Each structure stands twice: as structure tokens, then as C-alpha cells.
Amino acid sequence: MARPYTLHRQLAASGIDYVAALNAEQYMAVASPPGKALVIAGAGSGKTRTLTYRVAWLLDHGVEPRQVLLLTFTNKAAREMVGRVRDLIARDTSDLWAGTFHSVGSRILRRHAEDIGYTRAFSILDRDDQKSMLSKVVAACAIDTKERRFPKPDVLASIFSLMENSGTSLEEIIAVGYERFYDWIEQIEQVRLGYIEKKRASNSMDFDDLLVLTVRLFEARPDVLDIYQKRFRHILVDEYQDTNLVQGRMIDLLAGESNSLMAVGDDAQSIYSWRGADMAHILGFTRRYAGSQVFTIDTNYRSVPELLELSNAAIRANQGRFEKDLRSSRAAGGVKPALVALADPRTQAAFVVQRMLELHEEGIALSEMAVLYRAHFHSLELQMELTVRKIPFVLTSGLRFFEQAHIKDVSAFLRFVVNRRDEESFLRMVMLLPGCGPVAADKLWREWLDTGWAKRDDLPVRFSEVLLAFKKVPKKAHKHWQQLCYTLDELAPNGFFAKPSAMIYSVVEGVYKEYMEAGFENYESRRSDLDQLSQYGDGFEDIVEFLSQLSLMGSVDGEPGAGDDAANADKVTLSSIHQAKGLEWQVVFLIWLVDGQFPNGRILEADDQPKLEEERRLFYVAITRAKDHLYLTYPLNNPKSYTGDVMCNASRFLNDFPPELVEEWDVGNSDPWGDDAWNDDEPF
């Protein structure tokens, strides 16, 4: 009989038992030898834990903190990981560099600014500074914008940023995402060159420069690069799938031939190509770094098996991916994800809210529930429903629908036509015109008062006959002022108010579309918001009632559902999927699963397969936010103003998995919007 003998593991100097603290997959990555390594960490698999323990492992095995560089996408993530390392090994880590690519670039450039023609006291421009400088450059270029609007500084900044981060030419960027500015290409390039010169002359850098100039410094000064290659022997990168061209080059240069590099990410969660992220970095890692290792961590600690079966099946339809299947560490929950077809968007909202209340009665906190969607405007009906029901919610995808600038801009036209004494609406409306700032707008308001029509609301007025005679219209605004006058006539033809949906259409097509195209980087999504507002207005015959509802839907401080006044408040979360990445809830409702909405219609029209695969990854990210319950919903009809109801096709992503992985729900057609459905006076 063999003699029993137990081999005792020797703990690290810190006392950490790495084998006990980590699962087998995590341990293999954490304890891997120096070299180039890619860690594919699936959703909910403990990515942060793996990175944290890798840093601790290095320090426990003789690596000095100053030899470690941890690159992240948020300073919060860097602070959290370094804090956990300190808790694990209880030693001074002040020499360890950890932070965003931008913050690390800034530290390097401060030390070597003279080498690239700056001083160490250079200023870093925030977005407002950047817009102000671009405005000055546009003015200095003497571009004639009288006949047609030139892109606003915000839009120019986005175009220039995408050029820097993706290495794409201006002409290609304009052709793909900003076709409306194609005739302005020469002038935009003139502004870009002027902006670069202005930054240098004022010893200033924007956020993109912190990356671009760091790379240029390394490429132009091999001796400087050598300093940092010798210092940072161990480089760790978080969310590697989100790196762009410049960030990838920065990593390549610092890693060099001999330094260790561990990049952690998940190809299935690569969803930021629109801001320059290049998925080729993670998919091509082994080609980029010959002899590198790949570790896969696919034990999920978040979701029940039923949800992971669905997410695994959904992502398999993509061609460009690492093969992996998430496995749940949890027992089966016994509840399949629900697939729910609803009559229309309002019924969809009613279903979501009713189901939330039922789950809340079963003991699930509101703060453990989230509604996710592809685009911000998809939340309109839900915001209305939650507000009417006085159910508290926090919105992470942007301002509440009726508080957004473009909604308020268009509403100002309607408010002024209805109430000719509304000074704020008049000022907001005319300040949309080029060359019309607060002073000019105030002069026009006084001229309006002098006509006497502000007090004669009992009489119909043809606005163009009165306003076209104004003497104080800025020269730059003359053409646009005429269009504004004729648009106001359309809102109240023959002294009678048009339907709200028709009024919105007239404002957008007559005046606001051109303003949006030049003024907003995300023009398409804002246009969709206004289409949604028009659809909402189609349910009203009375413009006064419509405007009253807009006012009531705006949040009021102190009211339920208004603002995130307490971090631990019990509130439902409404979020775009992009904003929800990295978060989790017990219950997730994924709404508007309709072809043309999700996946996005422009991608379907262009038959863009890489973009379609990114949309599918976005679908995957949404599914994997849920811990216990998932509801996949879509409307069968989408009411559209002027064109009638539009039949909806369920999202093609719902065909990517076997039907037995979900449970279809048949929702009855009773009217939840009836007058007696609930008592609006009773708060939740």
C-alpha cells in the first residue's frame, strides 16, 4: 500500500494563495510567464479580478512597482485596481503607473514637451476650450457661410478626432458619416490646419494630441522611447478590444520586442468602432505579436445558465470572433428568457412597467431592473409611462427626452405661435439663426413688442407680413429669417393652429433640419428623436394640450423620477446598451427589437457586414447584463405621422438562436391606457 504524503503549497510573500483565490482559467493567466499574452475574458468572468491578481503576482515575484504600467479606459478603473492590489499585498505602489491612455500620455509629454516644440506648461483643452478655439480659427479663415451653414465647432472637433484616432482621411470620413458637408471639404481642411497651428502657437493640446504626440515623440526620439521601454517591463492593458489605431501603436512601441504585455478584453464586446476602436487589434493579436499566448476565461459568475445559453447561441452567428462559450457558475434559474411581441410602442411600454411592478411585488428592488435600448429615442414611451405612474427612474443614456436641446428648440416655435407673449421661446427660436446672439435676439424681441401683436392674442396674425418688415435682423441671418417667418405662417395657417405633428414637421423641414446638420455631431439620432416627438404629437388634436403635456413630462426637482438624487435610491435604470456595458441587473428588458431599429436601418441598407456583426455584439452585450430575468420585446406596429402605421419585422437577431431557448409570451389586447386603468393621483 502506498504511503500517503501531502505536498503543501508555498504561499507568496504577501500570503496570497493564488490557487485558492482564483479559478483554474484565471490562475493560468495570472501565473503565466513573462511574454506577450492575450486574455479573452468573457462577460461576467472576473476580468478585473484577473488583472488585479496579475499585478499582485508580479509584485510578489520580484517585479518593482515602477516597472509596471497599467493602461485603462477610465481613471476610476485604474484607481479601483490599484486599490485592490494595495489591499492584497499591503505595500507601497506609488511608483506604479496606472491610468488612462490619455493620462499616461500627458505624464510623458510633460517630461519631454520641448522635444516636440511645446513647453512643459502646455495647456490641455477641454471640449469648451476646443470649441472656442475652433470658432476663432473659422472666423480667421474668412469662410463665407451666408448662403449655407458651415459645420459648428462641436461637429468639426468630432471629425478631426475621428481622423486622428482611426487614421482615416478627411474625404473618407465625410463620405461615410458627414455627406452633408461634402462641398465644404476644402474649407474644413483649411480649418483643420489652422487649428493645428493655433494649438501650437498657444502651447495647447487637445485630448487627441495627448495620444498622437506621445506616439510621434516615441517615433521621432528612439532615445526617449528607450527610457520608457526600460522602465515599463510589464505592461497590462484593460478593455483591449476598444483600443484605436493610436492606442494600439502606443502599446506596440512601449512593449517593444522584449517587454511583457498582457492585454485583457473580449472580442464579443467590441462595440465602439464609431469612435475609432479597431477590433483587428484583438483578433490579430497573435499575428501582431509572434509567439504570444492566448488564455480564455469563460466561467461566468453573473448570469443563470438559461441566459448564457441564449447569449452563446446569439453570438455564434458572427464570423469574426474567438471561439468560446460562457459557462455559468450558478445553478439553473428555471426561467427562460421571455420573447414578447406587443401591439405598438405604447403597449410595449405598458407591458414593461406592469411587469416591473409585478417583479417588485415579488421582492426585486427597482434598482435591480434596467431597460436597455439601441438608441436614446427608443425610451420616449417608457419615460412617459414611468412619469405618469410616478415610478422613479434614472436615465443614463442622456437627458430626459423632453429636456433635450433639440426637443426644446422645436417646441419653442410651437410655444411662441400659441403664446405670442412668450419671450423665452421667442429668444430661443431666433438665436438659432446665424449671427443672432443674445443681444440681437433681444433687439428683435423689442421690435416684436413694438408691433403690438404680442398683446393681441385674440386675433389671427400672418407672421410673415409683420416680421419681414423688421429692421434689426442681422445681415448674416436675412435669408434664414425669411424662412423662419414663412415657417411660422405654416404653424397657424388662416388663423387656425395646425395639428402638433404637422407643426413639428414644418419646423424641422423649414428651419431646424439645416441647423441640426451643421450644429450636432449626432444629427441622425436627434432627427430620430424629432420623428418620435412628431409621432407622439399625432395623438393630439389640440396644440395647447400637447404643449401642456410636454411641460408636465419635463422632470421637476424633488419629484419622483427626477434626477439621480441619491446613489442608492431605489430607481429603475433606463440606458442605451453602449452606456450599460460593464453593468449588471437582476432583471433586464431589451426593447425595440425591430429590424431598422436594432439592428440599425442604415447598416441594413448599406449591407455592411462588419457593422452588422458589431450590432450583433451589441445585442450580446445587452443580453449578458442580466443576472436572472431577461425580456426581449418588440412592437408589431409603429405609428408614423403622415404615412400611417408601419408594420414592424422582428429583429433578425431573434433568428440567430433556437426558438426553444426562449419562452414566447402572448400579451392580451386590453387597453392599459384607458382612463380608468389607474389613479394618476396615487404615487408609486
Side-chain angles (χ1 to χ4, degrees), residues 8-150:
H8 298 284
R9 288 197 305 268
Q10 183 176 356
L11 299 182
S14 64
I16 301 172
D17 186 342
Y18 288 92
V19 173
L22 304 165
N23 67 33
E25 304 156 358
Q26 294 168 340
Y27 179 78
M28 285 183 65
V30 166
S32 62
K36 306 295 194 295
L38 173 65
V39 180
I40 300 297
S45 66
K47 168 181 65 70
T48 300
R49 185 178 186 83
T50 302
L51 269 173
T52 299
Y53 273 83
R54 174 62 174 181
V55 175
W57 173 275
L58 293 173
L59 301 184
D60 255 343
H61 288 75
V63 174
E64 292 298 319
R66 70 184 310 276
Q67 295 178 305
V68 177
L69 172 64
L70 175 59
L71 291 166
T72 65
F73 277 84
T74 67
N75 284 312
K76 178 182 177 183
R79 287 194 300 270
E80 178 184 347
M81 282 188 262
V82 172
R84 291 191 190 183
V85 171
R86 288 197 196 101
D87 292 340
L88 286 171
I89 63 174
R91 62 177 288 187
D92 181 17
T93 58
S94 57
D95 284 342
L96 186 155
W97 278 31
T100 64
F101 287 87
H102 294 88
S103 64
V104 169
S106 175
R107 290 180 72 175
I108 292 171
L109 291 173
R110 289 286 180 201
R111 300 178 177 200
H112 306 279
E114 290 85 352
D115 294 324
I116 54 171
Y118 284 80
T119 76
R120 297 188 182 189
F122 66 80
S123 299
I124 299 176
L125 305 173
D126 63 19
R127 191 67 164 188
D128 286 338
D129 298 329
Q130 195 177 12
K131 288 160 58 178
S132 176
M133 184 176 287
L134 281 166
S135 295
K136 293 182 176 68
V137 173
V138 171
C141 290
I143 297 170
D144 183 8
T145 60
K146 290 180 181 178
E147 293 301 313
R148 195 158 49 87
R149 292 181 188 269
F150 190 68

Side-chain angles (χ1 to χ4, degrees), residues 367-590:
S367 59
E368 279 292 337
M369 302 183 201
V371 184
L372 305 183
Y373 34 81
R374 174 63 178 84
H376 185 49
F377 72 86
H378 290 156
S379 67
L380 169 60
E381 291 85 6
L382 200 60
Q383 289 186 52
M384 291 164 49
E385 178 77 352
L386 291 167
T387 301
V388 168
R389 296 294 300 269
K390 298 183 174 64
I391 297 173
F393 66 93
V394 59
L395 193 69
T396 66
S397 56
L399 291 172
R400 296 187 178 222
F401 188 87
F402 298 105
E403 296 173 345
Q404 297 174 104
H406 50 297
I407 302 297
K408 296 176 105 175
D409 286 344
V410 171
S411 299
F413 286 78
L414 280 57
R415 292 180 189 279
F416 173 68
V417 169
V418 171
N419 175 16
R420 302 175 206 162
R421 305 180 193 185
D422 189 339
E423 179 179 359
E424 292 304 314
S425 291
F426 180 91
L427 295 176
R428 186 179 190 109
M429 177 178 68
V430 300
M431 280 195 290
L432 298 174
L433 306 182
C436 198
V439 174
D442 186 64
K443 289 179 180 178
L444 291 170
W445 171 250
R446 295 182 184 282
E447 201 166 356
W448 169 249
L449 292 178
D450 290 341
T451 67
W453 279 101
K455 295 182 179 179
R456 299 169 62 184
D457 16 85
D458 58 322
L459 297 174
V461 58
R462 187 169 177 80
F463 288 97
S464 59
E465 292 179 357
V466 179
L467 298 174
L468 285 176
F470 278 20
K471 306 295 185 185
K472 297 177 181 178
V473 179
K475 288 183 179 180
K476 195 175 182 180
H478 273 171
K479 174 191 169 188
H480 300 86
W481 177 258
Q482 291 177 359
Q483 183 59 55
L484 180 145
C485 295
Y486 295 132
T487 297
L488 292 177
D489 285 344
E490 289 183 20
L491 304 190
N494 304 316
F496 297 97
F497 297 130
K499 284 189 63 174
S501 56
M503 295 174 84
I504 293 166
Y505 180 85
S506 293
V507 173
V508 172
E509 293 300 321
V511 178
Y512 200 65
K513 178 182 176 183
E514 185 181 358
Y515 175 85
M516 276 197 300
E517 287 178 337
F520 296 121
E521 179 270 333
N522 56 342
Y523 159 72
E524 293 290 347
S525 65
R526 290 180 189 256
R527 178 60 195 259
S528 296
D529 284 348
L530 292 171
D531 289 343
Q532 201 78 358
L533 180 67
S534 179
Q535 177 184 319
Y536 174 57
D538 204 40
F540 295 82
E541 293 292 333
D542 184 355
I543 183 60
V544 175
E545 176 61 23
F546 174 71
L547 292 175
S548 296
Q549 286 299 313
L550 293 193
S551 298
L552 293 173
M553 289 298 174
S555 70
V556 180
D557 290 342
E559 287 297 313
D564 191 13
D565 52 9
N568 61 349
D570 194 20
K571 298 179 180 181
V572 172
T573 297
L574 309 187
S575 177
S576 70
I577 304 170
H578 284 102
Q579 291 288 334
K581 185 172 175 289
L583 304 177
E584 59 183 41
W585 296 269
Q586 274 186 265
V587 182
V588 167
F589 296 86
L590 180 53

Side-chain angles (χ1 to χ4, degrees), residues 14 104 123 210 234 244 251 327 480 498 500 518 563-564 594 655 668 676:
S14 64
V104 169
S123 299
L210 299 178
H234 298 271
N244 61 35
I251 295 167
R327 303 186 313 276
H480 300 86
D564 191 13
V594 171
N655 297 321
D676 299 324

